[in-house]
Amino acid sequence: MINILLIPASNKKQLIILGILGIFLLGVVIYSNVLHAPFVYDDYSSIINHESIRSIPESLKDISSNRYLPLVSFALNYAVSGLKPFGYHLINNFIHIINAFLVYSLVILTFKTPFFRSRGDAIYASQYFIAFSSAFIFVVHPIQTQAVTYIVQRSTLMATMFYLLSLVMYIKARLEG
């Protein structure tokens, strides 16, 4: 394991950028074979046969839907690429990669809490290694496959994104306040 405290500041930034690029590329490579998959199962009723996604204003009116934001995102997808599955899969993959970055951020911010700061430099030095490892595992874990490859499961990806985002913002606010 690399002791990040012994690495010069300029090299730390390069390692962090390399790690972030690694998370992005890993997410792209792992799910690149899904980009050309067809619509399946509930994709037909939720996307192909769903009339309100054919118009963004119409999809915005359906605010009582229990999957309002995914419905609006499907409408945006439809406006850009029609019923070509590539765009839908691309957005799912992009949201999954955002979630991996949020996992990374959550781990880094957790290490900045008073509990971990009081543990000394040894654990603090390994925060980047642990954060990148967590994000890498999140990106490649097989349990994520359904949410990323099955277009209608964008609701799962978005729920995860907003949940992780709320945790990151909460910790960030507590650390600043």
Side-chain angles (χ1 to χ4, degrees):
M1 189 176 333
I2 299 171
N3 186 347
I4 200 137
L5 294 176
L6 301 176
I7 298 173
S10 62
N11 290 355
K12 279 185 203 175
K13 288 181 183 177
Q14 290 173 345
L15 283 174
I16 291 168
I17 290 170
L18 185 64
I20 289 172
L21 184 62
I23 293 168
F24 177 78
L25 290 176
L26 190 60
V28 168
V29 169
I30 290 291
Y31 290 104
S32 63
N33 62 340
V34 172
L35 296 176
H36 299 288
F39 291 113
V40 294
Y41 307 122
D42 290 346
D43 293 343
Y44 290 100
S45 62
S46 298
I47 298 170
I48 294 174
N49 300 329
H50 202 286
E51 291 298 320
S52 69
I53 73 158
R54 296 193 176 6
S55 164
I56 293 173
E58 188 64 34
S59 68
L60 291 171
K61 289 179 187 175
D62 198 11
I63 198 160
S64 63
S65 171
N66 61 350
R67 294 185 178 176
Y68 178 69
L69 290 178
L71 181 69
V72 171
S73 75
F74 292 147
L76 291 170
N77 261 129
Y78 185 83
V80 172
S81 63
L83 290 174
K84 296 176 186 160
F86 178 83
Y88 296 87
H89 286 295
L90 187 66
I91 295 300
N92 278 16
N93 195 6
F94 182 68
I95 295 170
H96 180 60
I97 292 169
I98 288 172
N99 288 342
F101 289 137
L102 287 169
V103 167
Y104 167 79
S105 299
L106 180 64
V107 173
I108 290 295
L109 287 171
T110 301
F111 275 107
K112 292 181 179 182
T113 61
F115 176 81
F116 284 103
R117 290 292 242 171
S118 68
R119 299 289 182 237
D121 287 341
I123 196 157
Y124 188 72
S126 59
Q127 70 177 332
Y128 293 102
F129 176 77
I130 294 170
F132 284 124
S133 298
S134 301
F136 288 147
I137 290 169
F138 182 87
V139 165
V140 302
H141 199 283
I143 203 165
Q144 308 296 341
T145 303
Q146 179 196 13
V148 179
T149 60
Y150 185 27
I151 296 170
V152 170
Q153 290 300 311
R154 184 175 299 174
S155 57
T156 303
L157 291 169
M158 291 177 87
T160 302
M161 180 178 68
F162 290 122
Y163 184 77
L164 288 169
L165 185 62
S166 68
L167 288 172
V168 166
M169 298 310 277
Y170 174 76
I171 295 173
K172 195 171 176 112
R174 291 288 301 212
L175 290 173
E176 291 176 3

